[in-house]
Amino acid sequence: MSVLDAPVGTPPRRDAGKGLVPVFVRLKLSLLRNGLRQSAGRRAAYIASVVFALLVAASQLLGLIMLRGHDHVASVVVLTAGLLAVGWAVMPLFFPSGDETLDPSRLVMLPLRPRPLVSALLVASLVGIGPLFTLCLVAGSVFAVAYGAVGAAFAVVGAPLALLLCVTLARTVATTNSRLLSSRKGRDLAVLSGLVIAVGFQVVNFGAQQLGRTGGLAALDPVADVVRWLPPASAIGAVDSASRGSYGQAVGQLLLSVAALLVLLWLWQRSLTKLMTAPDGSTLAAADTAREKAGKEGSRLSALLPAGRTGTVMERSLRYIARDPKTKAAWITSLAVGLIVPLFNALQGTGSVYIACFAAGMLGIQMYNQFGQDTSAFWMVLLTISSTRDAYLELRARALALLLITLPYTVVVMLLTAALLGEWNALPEAMGLSIALLGGMLATGAVASAVFPYSVPQEGFKSAAPGQGGLAWISVFGGMLSATLLCAPLIGALIWLHVADLQQWLWVLLPVGAAYGALISWAGLRIAAPRTAERLPEILTAVSKG
C-alpha cells in the first residue's frame, strides 16, 4: 500500500518516506498529463511555451559557450546566476497557480513527515520547463569559465548545486507564503506581476544602454565581485575561482552555496511543519480583529475628509484604490511607470523636464471609466443620484479623491526630474503645463465616464469585458487626445514666450496653468454631470457586463 493510500489519522511509519520520491514524480507527471488533456488550446499553449523556452535556452547556452575565453565572461555568468535566483524567488509569488504542486496545503491531511516530504517535493520540482531552462543556463555558465581538471571537477559539483539552490529557494518561498498566495493579498500579487515584468524590462533596457556607454562588459565587474559571494552565484563563481588557481576562494564559495542550500532546506522543512500543524489564521476571531482594524482605519480617514456626500464618495474611491485588486494594480502601475520613464530618461541624460508631464498623464488616465470600477454595485450609486447636482457632486468627489494622490505625485516627479537634469529654470512652465494637462484629463475623463462606460472584469488581466474593447479605446485614447487639445492655448503661450525671447515671463505659466487646469476640470465636470444623470440606466447596463 502506498503512503498516499493510508487512511487519514494513521500514524506515519518510520519508512514512510522511502517510496515518496517516485510517487511524487509520478504525481507531477500525472498532473501535467491531466492538465494537457483538458483542452486542445491548453495543449497548444503548453507546446508553444516549451518550444519557445527551449529556443531561448538554446540561444542562451550557445551565447555563453561563445563567450568562453572572453576577459569578462566570469562577470556575465555570475550575474546570470544571480538573476536566475531572483526569478525563482519571485515567480511563486506572482504565478502561484502555474504549478499545482507549489501549494503544500493540499498535502496537510496526508500522513507524511516533513523531512521525507521535502526530499520528494525537491526531486519532483526538478521536472518541468523551468528547471530545464535553468539547467541549460547553468551548464553554459560553468562551461564558459571551467578550465583544467580542477575547474571541471568544481563545475560538476557547482552546476547541480546552483540548480538545486534555485529550486529550493522557490519551494521555500512558496511554502512560507502558502496561505498568503491563496488569500486576497496573494491574488493582488498575481495581478501586479505585469507591473514587475514591465519595470524589469525598463531596468534591463537601462542597464544595457549604460553598458554601451561605459565600455561594454567591463562595467559589470564591480557588481559581479559582490554577487559572486551570494548563493547560488557563488557556486558558479567557485568554478571560475578554481580555474584561475584560487583554490581556497573556490572552496569557500562552494561551501557558502552548500550552507545556503542546507539553510533553505531547514527553512522549507520548518515551514512545512508549521503549515501541517498550526491552525489557519482565518478564524472568526481573526476576522473580527480585521474588521475592527478596518473600522478604526476608516474612522481616521473619514475625519480627514470633508463632511457630507463629498467625503463619503472620496472615502469610497480611496478604499477602491486600497482594496480592489484591479484598481490597485492600475494605480500602482501608473505610479511606477509615471516615475520610471522621466527619471530613467533623466539619468540617461536624454530627457527634459517636460517629459515629467508623462506622470500627470499616467495618473490622469485613472479618471476615465470611473463607474466601471463599481461593476454591478453601481446600482447603489444610482439610487443616490436623482438630479444633475447629485451627479455633479458624485463626479467632483471622485475627481477630488484622484487629486489627493495625483497632484502631490506630479509635483514630486517634476522636482526629481528637474533636480537630476539641473533644469530648475524650466521647472515653473513645465509644472504649469503638467497641472493644466492633469485638469484636462480630469475634465475629459469625467465626460468619457458618462458617455463611454464599460465593465472591468475582476478576474484575469483584461481591462474590458468581451465586446467592450472598442469602448475602452475610444474612452481612453480619445480622452487623452482631447485633453492634449485642451492644453493647446497654454502650449501656444509657452512656444510664443520662447520664440519672442521673453524667458523672464515664463514663470507666469505656473499660476496660469494651475488656474487653467482648475477651470477646464470644473467645466468638464459641469458638462459630464447632466449626461451622467440622463444615462444612469445605460451606464448600469454597460458596467454590469462580464
Side-chain angles (χ1 to χ4, degrees):
M1 180 177 65
S2 170
V3 291
L4 297 182
D5 297 328
V8 176
T10 302
R13 304 188 310 270
R14 292 186 177 275
D15 60 344
K18 294 182 178 179
L20 275 184
V21 173
V23 170
F24 271 78
V25 171
R26 290 197 302 270
L27 176 62
K28 180 70 175 282
L29 296 174
S30 298
L31 288 171
L32 177 60
R33 183 175 59 252
N34 294 336
L36 296 178
R37 286 176 177 174
Q38 291 182 4
S39 66
R42 184 163 182 171
R43 286 195 298 273
Y46 182 79
I47 293 173
S49 63
V50 170
V51 172
F52 177 76
L54 290 178
L55 288 175
V56 173
S59 63
Q60 295 294 320
L61 177 61
L62 181 61
L64 290 170
I65 292 175
M66 293 176 65
L67 281 175
R68 182 180 173 86
H70 193 279
D71 293 338
H72 305 285
V73 63
S75 298
V76 174
V77 298
V78 164
L79 293 177
T80 299
L83 290 175
L84 280 175
V86 172
W88 276 95
V90 301
M91 283 303 105
L93 297 176
F94 295 135
F95 301 101
S97 60
D99 184 354
E100 291 86 348
T101 63
L102 279 177
D103 185 5
S105 62
R106 299 169 183 247
L107 309 173
V108 169
M109 299 303 294
L110 298 177
L112 303 174
R113 294 182 182 274
R115 182 173 296 179
L117 187 58
V118 165
S119 303
L121 286 173
L122 179 59
V123 176
S125 299
L126 298 175
V127 179
I129 303 175
L132 179 60
F133 180 84
T134 304
L135 180 61
C136 291
L137 291 185
V138 170
S141 298
V142 296
F143 180 83
V145 295
Y147 292 93
V150 179
F154 271 83
V156 171
V157 178
L161 182 58
L163 176 60
L164 288 174
L165 269 168
C166 289
V167 175
T168 306
L169 177 61
R171 282 294 187 176
T172 304
V173 172
T175 304
T176 305
N177 298 279
S178 175
R179 285 170 178 161
L180 169 66
L181 297 178
S182 59
S183 65
R184 190 187 71 182
K185 292 183 178 180
R187 292 191 293 271
D188 290 352
L189 286 173
V191 172
L192 295 176
S193 59
L195 167 65
V196 175
I197 294 173
V199 173
F201 276 124
Q202 290 286 344
V203 173
V204 171
N205 180 48
F206 176 70
Q209 293 184 10
Q210 289 296 106
L211 283 179
R213 294 175 183 173
T214 55
L217 298 178
L220 297 176
D221 291 343
V223 181
D225 289 340
V226 177
V227 176
R228 68 173 59 248
W229 289 97
L230 302 176
S234 57
I236 308 299
V239 181
D240 175 61
S241 299
S243 300
R244 291 186 288 103
S246 302
Y247 301 125
Q249 180 176 330
V251 171
Q253 290 172 318
L254 200 63
L255 290 177
L256 188 61
S257 297
V258 173
L261 178 60
L262 293 176
V263 170
L264 285 174
L265 288 172
W266 177 78
L267 289 174
W268 184 7
Q269 179 181 333
R270 184 171 178 269
S271 300
L272 268 178
T273 303
K274 182 178 179 181
L275 182 67
M276 299 174 75
T277 58
D280 195 351
S282 58
T283 60
L284 183 60
D288 291 339
T289 303
R291 279 194 292 269
E292 291 175 2
K293 181 180 178 181
K296 292 179 181 179
E297 292 176 353
S299 62
R300 287 196 295 266
L301 179 61
S302 301
L304 300 175
L305 299 176
R309 182 189 185 109
T310 299
T312 302
V313 176
M314 290 178 67
E315 183 177 355
R316 185 213 309 147
S317 299
L318 295 173
R319 285 184 182 273
Y320 275 141
I321 297 172
R323 296 184 179 182
D324 180 64
K326 273 299 184 69
T327 306
K328 183 190 298 185
W331 270 93
I332 294 180
T333 301
S334 296
L335 289 168
V337 177
L339 179 66
I340 288 172
V341 171
L343 293 190
F344 273 32
N345 278 274
L347 289 171
Q348 294 171 14
T350 59
S352 166
V353 69
Y354 292 101
I355 202 174
C357 294
F358 183 80
M362 285 299 298
L363 292 190
I365 292 175
Q366 304 306 318
M367 186 64 189
Y368 295 84
N369 195 35
Q370 274 293 303
F371 306 122
Q373 63 186 0
D374 297 332
T375 61
S376 58
F378 178 72
W379 71 269
M380 292 187 290
V381 178
L382 182 149
L383 294 177
T384 66
I385 300 177
S386 58
S387 64
T388 299
R389 176 167 177 75
D390 290 338
Y392 171 75
L393 293 176
E394 176 76 23
L395 289 169
R396 187 187 66 177
R398 292 180 184 238
L400 289 174
L402 206 75
L403 281 174
L404 282 180
I405 302 174
T406 55
L407 190 56
Y409 174 83
T410 300
V411 173
V412 169
V413 173
M414 274 285 175
L415 292 174
L416 289 175
T417 306
L420 289 174
L421 293 172
E423 297 182 4
W424 294 106
N425 58 331
L427 180 61
E429 65 259 32
M431 186 81 75
L433 182 61
S434 183
I435 295 174
L437 176 63
L438 183 58
M441 298 198 74
L442 290 178
T444 56
V447 176
S449 297
V451 180
F452 301 111
Y454 56 90
S455 178
V456 180
Q458 293 300 301
E459 300 295 333
F461 296 90
K462 294 182 179 180
S463 58
Q468 293 184 326
L471 281 175
W473 280 87
I474 293 173
S475 174
V476 176
F477 289 97
M480 292 173 64
L481 178 61
S482 301
T484 305
L485 293 176
L486 285 175
C487 295
L490 200 66
I491 297 174
L494 174 64
I495 295 174
W496 178 76
L497 288 173
H498 276 283
V499 172
D501 198 21
L502 297 173
Q503 280 82 3
Q504 68 271 19
W505 292 102
L506 286 172
W507 66 269
V508 178
L509 293 178
L510 175 56
V512 170
Y516 183 72
L519 177 64
I520 58 178
S521 60
W522 172 82
L525 293 173
R526 285 293 184 185
I527 294 172
R531 288 165 174 76
T532 302
E534 294 168 2
R535 304 188 71 253
L536 287 175
E538 291 89 342
I539 295 174
L540 177 61
T541 302
V543 301
S544 300
K545 290 183 178 180

